[in-house]
Amino acid sequence: MLAFGLALAAPVSLTGAGATFPYPLYAKYFSVYHKLTGVKVNYQSIGSGGGVRQLFAQTVHFGASDAPLSDAKIAEFKEKFQTDVIHVPTALGAVAVVYNLPGVEKPLRFSGKVLGRIFLGAIQRWDDPQIAAENPGVKLPPLPITVVHRSDGSGTTYIFTEFLSKVCPSWKSRVGFGKSVGWPTGLGGKGNEGVAGLVRQTPGAIGYVELIYALQNKIPYGAVQNRAGHFILPSLESVQSAAKLEDFPQDTRVSLTDTSAPDGYPISSFTWILVYRDMAKDRAFKNRAQAEALAKLLWWIVHDGQEYNEPLHYARLPQVAVRITEENLKRLSYKGEPLLR
C-alpha cells in the first residue's frame, strides 16, 4: 500500500541506530527504499540501549529498540523535549535459544525454569538430570555448560530476561529483566552477531539470539515450553500465533513473552522504531524535508515493506497493529504541521 507519494524533491539522507535484533530486515528495507526513492538511510546496529541513548541525545533521526520505553522514560522524554515518543512496530521476531553440542542432532527441549537455572549458573553440565528429564532418549554429552549473553544494552536481552522473570521465580528474585542485567555467569558477546559467533566456536555453549542469526550461522536451537505446557520451536507460524491479540494498545507497547496461545512460541516480540512525534524537536533534523522523508519511510515499512519480513524469518505485523500504527503516523508533525497528508 503506497500513500502520500514516495517522490522527494531532492536526495535526502537519514540516520538511525539501535537494535541488532531486526538488523538483517532493516538492511533490506533501507536498500529497497533507496532504490525506490533515492532516500539513503545509515543505520548503526549498536543495540537497543544505544539506540535509545542516541535518540535522547538527538544525534539520530530515529532509534530502534526491541524493548518499549517505560512509562518513566516516556514521561522524562516528554518533560525534556515537550513532545511524545512514537513507537512504530515494524515486525515480529523470535529469540532462539542456541547451543553447540557436538553429536546431538535432535532439537533439545527447555522449560523456562531449567533455562533460568542454566543462566543462573545453577545447572553447570549438559548431562544434568534436570535437562535429561526434559529430553528423554537424547544422549547428552558430559560437557560443562558455557553461558553466552550480550555484553551491550540489548532489546534481545530484555525479551529473553523478561521471559525468564515470568517463568522462573529464582531468576526474577536474583536478576530480573532489562536491556542490561547483572549476569551471574558466562561470557559476553556484542550484538546478536557476537553471541552467535561465541556459541558457534565454543563446544558446550548456550546463548540467545534472534532467529535469523541462528539460521544464518547454522546453529542448532531448541524448543521452549510455553504456558500451555507445549514445547515450541521458533518459527514464523509460532511467532504469529503468539501475536494473536484481542486488544492492542494505542501506544503499541505490547509484551508477547510467556504467551497463553497453545501454539505460540513463548519468547516472541515486536520490534519498534522510535521517533519524536514533533520531529522539529529533534536537533538531528535540519529541515522539514528530512522529517517528511522519515514519515514516508515509516508508512512504507508498515505497508509495502512487510513483504520483505517473511523471507528473512520475521513475521508480518497483524492488521490491528497496522491500523493503530497508521493512526499514530498521521500524528507525526514538523513544527506542529502534519507530515503525512
Side-chain angles (χ1 to χ4, degrees), residues 55-93:
L55 185 72
F56 272 60
Q58 301 191 333
T59 57
V60 293
H61 299 107
F62 65 90
S65 178
D66 315 313
L69 299 185
S70 65
D71 290 345
K73 200 69 174 173
I74 287 173
E76 176 191 342
F77 186 96
K78 188 165 187 176
E79 181 179 359
K80 183 172 183 180
F81 300 115
Q82 302 301 302
T83 191
D84 297 313
V85 178
I86 300 294
H87 289 67
V88 182
T90 56
L92 292 140

Side-chain angles (χ1 to χ4, degrees), residues 196-218:
L198 279 172
V199 171
R200 189 176 182 185
Q201 69 190 32
T202 309
I206 186 171
Y208 58 94
V209 296
E210 207 285 328
L211 177 59
I212 188 64
Y213 292 87
L215 295 170
Q216 287 178 340
N217 288 279
K218 297 180 171 57

